[in-house]
Amino acid sequence: NLDCALSAPAKARVGEPVEVLFQLTNRSAQAVYVLPWQTPLEGILGTVFDITRDGEEVSYQGPMVKRRAPSESSYVTIAPGATVENRVEVTQAYDFQKPGTYRITFRNELMDVTSRKEDVPRPGGDYKPAPVKCAPVDVTLTAR
């Protein structure tokens, strides 16, 4: 029962930062615990978006991180009806050097989601992924 939303400016110029707002809203009647890894909630530490420019794939150029097993503090608690969000600057990790229309899509399902506090963290990496659908956003970049 998680809703996902992306938003970004409709237009920007080549060389300007492009911020994307990622939001997760809990539509259930109970708290949920989400591992934010591989989502924009933790920033861009891997290929969290699929990005195209005029239909052509834009390559990821940012960091790739490896982690130890998560701890309880690794999870984000989302209360009933609450929204968690984070803004990320996509031009730091993806090539936005050419004019065109960039389509930004959240690519990963959520790595681990539970409504049971006692399941956090899951032993042995027995994660329960949860797909979420975010409508993509388009940003048109114009020459400087």
Side-chain angles (χ1 to χ4, degrees), residues 30-35 70-79 112-123:
Q30 56 195 11
V32 293
Y33 306 91
V34 176
L35 186 60
S71 65
E72 185 176 335
S73 66
S74 301
Y75 286 74
V76 173
T77 303
I78 309 175
D112 191 27
V113 177
T114 183
S115 59
R116 293 169 29 99
K117 177 81 168 155
E118 57 272 19
D119 288 343
V120 175
R122 296 199 196 267

Side-chain angles (χ1 to χ4, degrees), residues 21-50:
L21 176 64
F22 176 81
Q23 297 175 304
L24 274 181
T25 302
N26 179 3
R27 298 288 181 209
S28 74
Q30 56 195 11
V32 293
Y33 306 91
V34 176
L35 186 60
W37 295 357
Q38 299 176 9
T39 77
L41 291 176
E42 68 166 357
I44 300 179
L45 299 177
T47 54
V48 298
F49 295 115
D50 282 328

Side-chain angles (χ1 to χ4, degrees), residues 34-93:
V34 176
L35 186 60
W37 295 357
Q38 299 176 9
T39 77
L41 291 176
E42 68 166 357
I44 300 179
L45 299 177
T47 54
V48 298
F49 295 115
D50 282 328
I51 299 180
T52 59
R53 180 187 61 252
D54 299 327
E56 298 291 319
E57 182 180 344
V58 174
S59 62
Y60 176 73
Q61 302 170 338
M64 298 291 283
V65 298
K66 291 188 177 189
R67 301 178 175 86
R68 297 178 185 199
S71 65
E72 185 176 335
S73 66
S74 301
Y75 286 74
V76 173
T77 303
I78 309 175
T83 299
V84 294
E85 64 183 35
N86 193 33
R87 289 186 189 279
V88 292
E89 212 279 89
V90 292
T91 61
Q92 294 178 345

